[in-house]
Amino acid sequence: MKKFLDFLPLFVFFIIYKIYNIFIASSALIAVSAVVLLLKWLLYRILDKISLLTFFLVAMLGGLTIVFHNPDFIKWKVTIIDGIFSIALLFSYFFMSKSLMQKILNTQIHLPEIIWRRLDLAWGLFFLFCGVANIYGIFYFSQDAWVDFKVFGLGGLTLLFTLLNGIYVFRFISRENH
């Protein structure tokens, strides 16, 4: 349910963009992101820092897109969020004694420390790649192509990377439980 809620604003943005334009889609993105935050609070009675940060950037950059009638603000949201995540995870991998991924997910999953460290590195590099790919898309794709790339390219890549990480992690969860 949480993953569905995380992707809901993106899909609404895409649908509204295809029907109307990027400015109405940005308004919808802000509204649906706020509803998702409310639903997460009602369902789980907790709001994680990642969701709050993401909403703040959506509201700020989406708002700037609407106010200044400039789609560049919303386009840069992806790179800013991915950049923050990449820096945090790579900093954790190289300079912290405990994995950031472990701190975020430790209550849900128990894994050997080396696996947590590998996840920090893998996700840090993944977010770095996605941020750079988004920059390429901003400068070299039309707005329509960028929206498709954002939703299906980066969105699909994120789902695939999540699935592959799940398969990787599952092998170690299974070993620990035997």
Side-chain angles (χ1 to χ4, degrees):
M1 181 68 170
K2 271 187 175 179
K3 279 294 168 203
F4 170 75
L5 288 175
D6 289 340
F7 280 98
L8 183 62
L10 176 64
F11 290 120
V12 170
F13 174 84
F14 177 77
I15 291 166
I16 298 299
Y17 173 80
K18 291 298 182 179
I19 296 170
Y20 298 103
N21 60 45
I22 199 160
F23 307 108
I24 295 172
S26 294
S27 299
L29 178 66
I30 295 166
V32 173
S33 295
V35 169
V36 165
L37 265 187
L38 178 63
L39 285 172
K40 283 183 176 182
W41 174 252
L42 292 173
L43 291 171
Y44 306 108
R45 291 288 180 211
I46 191 165
L47 293 176
D48 58 281
K49 291 175 185 170
I50 292 171
S51 295
L52 291 170
L53 172 67
T54 301
F55 175 72
F56 171 76
L57 289 170
V58 163
M60 183 181 70
L61 296 171
L64 290 171
T65 293
I66 297 160
V67 168
F68 293 109
H69 210 69
N70 182 343
D72 290 341
F73 292 106
I74 200 69
K75 290 179 181 179
W76 280 95
K77 175 193 73 74
V78 176
T79 296
I80 293 169
I81 290 173
D82 286 351
I84 291 168
F85 292 164
S86 178
I87 290 167
L89 288 164
L90 293 174
F91 182 85
S92 170
Y93 178 79
F94 288 109
F95 300 110
M96 295 174 66
S97 61
K98 190 167 184 180
S99 160
L100 183 58
M101 292 291 281
Q102 185 177 12
K103 288 179 182 180
I104 294 169
L105 300 174
N106 198 25
T107 59
Q108 300 169 7
I109 301 171
H110 300 286
L111 295 170
E113 180 65 28
I114 188 71
I115 304 308
W116 286 116
R117 309 290 292 163
R118 288 177 186 165
L119 289 172
D120 276 358
L121 180 61
W123 278 100
L125 293 173
F126 176 76
F127 284 123
L128 178 63
F129 171 80
C130 289
V132 170
N134 187 63
I135 292 170
Y136 181 87
I138 289 169
F139 288 109
Y140 295 103
F141 295 164
S142 68
Q143 185 170 288
D144 285 342
W146 175 82
V147 169
D148 292 344
F149 170 72
K150 164 62 181 115
V151 174
F152 298 109
L154 294 178
L157 196 57
T158 301
L159 287 173
L160 177 63
F161 195 72
T162 302
L163 176 65
L164 292 173
N165 274 266
I167 291 167
Y168 175 72
V169 165
F170 183 75
R171 298 178 335 174
F172 295 99
I173 292 173
S174 297
R175 285 187 205 157
E176 287 212 344
N177 291 333
H178 286 105

